Amino acid sequence: MTTTHAYAATDAQSKLAPFEFQRRELREHDVHIEVLFCGVCHSDLHQARNEWKNTMFPVVPGHEIVGRVTKVGPKVSKYKAGDLVGVGCLVDSCRTCASCQEGLEQYCENGFVGTYNGQDRVTGAVTYGGYSTQLVVDEAFVLRVPENLDPAGVAPLLCAGITTYSPLRTWGAGPGKKVGIVGLGGLGHMGVKLAHAMGAHVVLFTTSPSKIDDAKRLGADEVVISKNQAEMDAHANSFDLIVNTVAAQHDLNPFINLLKRDGTLTLVGAPEHDHPSPQVFNLIMKRRRLAGSLIGGIAETQEMLDFCGKHGITSDIEMIPMQKINEAYERMLKSDVKYRFVIDLDSLRK
Ligand code: NAP
Ligand code: ZN
Ligand code: ZN
């Protein structure tokens, strides 16, 4: 067992505060990781505040993790001490259901084990995430980090990156396709970078006029202020795919109107309260589709990391010490982050 320093929320109302616990002894296939960096996802905030009504307290959030392997169990074959690795939102699944067999562990029919706020399949213990100095994970759920990328900028790829990469791939983003990304936050800015690298024509929708220049620098061909009706109307019936990352309830009709025949609006944003149902005729008249997408499986996450290595893609980050996490949450709620907070875990080792 190793004493681990962390930050946890003890109930939905209180701020995150220092917390100590023991990581488990290494099992045969386990990898012990010294956590270097952990991204701050809006899902961390949703769960720390129990907005999805399923949080087991105390909760140690964090599922955008990059670290160094320090020890491995006797049957580990993929990793050795010194390797730079990543861990995302998943640390286990049943590995036998149809989804797991297809490498879609995030849709495990018996329920995947989340990196935090999950339950270990062996002991039933609640899992604790990457707002902590160390981590123990089965090698099957550990990713290899391309050595040419800045490790702090890689951390957000493990959730924000794969959550946008997967729907872009599923719905065929690429040359000749017009792809919209809604919201320029952690997920949205990765969506813009990835869709651009895939060769699509990228349009970013934002509620923040101050982000126009950044969106273009990140790879958007066009930027639309989503509250401006004339700007929205100019894109009617023209999109193959729109990926919506917004973290709050809103009207989906204005975006569905922008899809061409057979176009798809994919929801990845997971707000506390559901969006109102869109108008049915808006869907049936052009055979438009409304879809959802959850992170990505392990194989696709590795594919995404390798894609980012090849294209030199990382997240734009603002590094913070662990002690600033509560301020970071407040700023994230105001859409005031460019474009992902990343925690430097050295701040907990001092
Ligand atoms: P984030 O950094 O806070 O970005 C969300 C963005 O949405 C904001 O930057 C803002 O962009 C826009 N926005 C926020 N409030 C809005 C409002 N009231 N109306 C319109 N736009 C608004 O959050 P994130 O970390 O990217 O996460 C986004 C959402 O995805 C969260 O709900 C998170 O839980 C969810 N998520 C889902 C998955 C999945 O697997 N499906 C994985 C990870 C995260 P502008 O300023 O540009 O308008
Ligand atoms: Zn996340
Ligand atoms: Zn399964």
Side-chain angles (χ1 to χ4, degrees), residues 178-201:
K178 185 170 173 183
V179 173
I181 304 288
V182 188
L184 197 66
L187 267 58
H189 95 291
M190 288 314 309
V192 168
K193 288 187 186 208
L194 292 166
H196 175 73
M198 289 173 190
H201 182 86

Side-chain angles (χ1 to χ4, degrees), residues 41 43 63-64 89 159 340:
C41 179
S43 303
H63 57 209
E64 295 186 335
C89 305
C159 176
R340 196 59 137 187

Side-chain angles (χ1 to χ4, degrees), residues 258-272:
L258 306 188
L259 297 173
K260 64 181 181 192
R261 196 203 72 222
D262 290 320
T264 303
L265 172 65
T266 300
L267 306 180
V268 293
E272 177 179 9

Side-chain angles (χ1 to χ4, degrees), residues 92-101 104-112 121:
D92 206 355
S93 68
C94 86
R95 308 185 197 200
T96 56
C97 74
S99 296
C100 286
Q101 294 279 308
L104 299 170
E105 299 89 351
Q106 76 276 34
Y107 302 116
C108 174
E109 283 137 52
N110 297 302
F112 68 80
R121 289 180 64 85

Side-chain angles (χ1 to χ4, degrees), residues 1 15 18 50 132 182 271 292 294 296 308:
M1 309 272 261
K15 292 185 167 175
N50 199 19
S132 67
V182 188
L294 177 67
C308 288

Side-chain angles (χ1 to χ4, degrees), residues 61-194:
H63 57 209
E64 295 186 335
I65 302 161
V66 167
R68 286 262 174 218
V69 175
T70 46
K71 283 183 287 187
V72 299
K75 293 206 171 147
V76 169
S77 60
K78 283 169 66 188
Y79 300 101
K80 58 177 189 328
D83 286 350
L84 188 65
V85 295
V87 176
C89 305
L90 310 172
V91 290
D92 206 355
S93 68
C94 86
R95 308 185 197 200
T96 56
C97 74
S99 296
C100 286
Q101 294 279 308
E102 274 184 71
L104 299 170
E105 299 89 351
Q106 76 276 34
Y107 302 116
C108 174
E109 283 137 52
N110 297 302
F112 68 80
V113 181
T115 303
Y116 65 87
N117 198 35
Q119 277 182 289
D120 184 81
R121 289 180 64 85
V122 178
T123 62
V126 174
T127 54
Y128 292 144
Y131 294 7
S132 67
T133 49
Q134 24 215 333
L135 198 66
V136 173
V137 184
D138 187 300
E139 65 170 333
F141 288 79
V142 176
L143 289 309
R144 193 168 292 284
V145 171
E147 291 278 352
N148 63 315
L149 298 176
D150 167 42
V154 167
L157 303 180
L158 276 308
C159 176
I162 184 60
T163 301
T164 48
Y165 182 91
S166 185
L168 289 170
R169 280 286 189 232
T170 298
W171 282 280
K177 294 291 171 77
K178 185 170 173 183
V179 173
I181 304 288
V182 188
L184 197 66
L187 267 58
H189 95 291
M190 288 314 309
V192 168
K193 288 187 186 208
L194 292 166

Side-chain angles (χ1 to χ4, degrees), residues 14 35 82 117 127 144 148 210 212 232 276 303 320 328 336 346:
S14 50
V35 180
N117 198 35
T127 54
R144 193 168 292 284
N148 63 315
S210 62
I212 293 175
M232 292 290 277
E303 178 190 307
I320 56 165
D336 173 26
D346 270 349

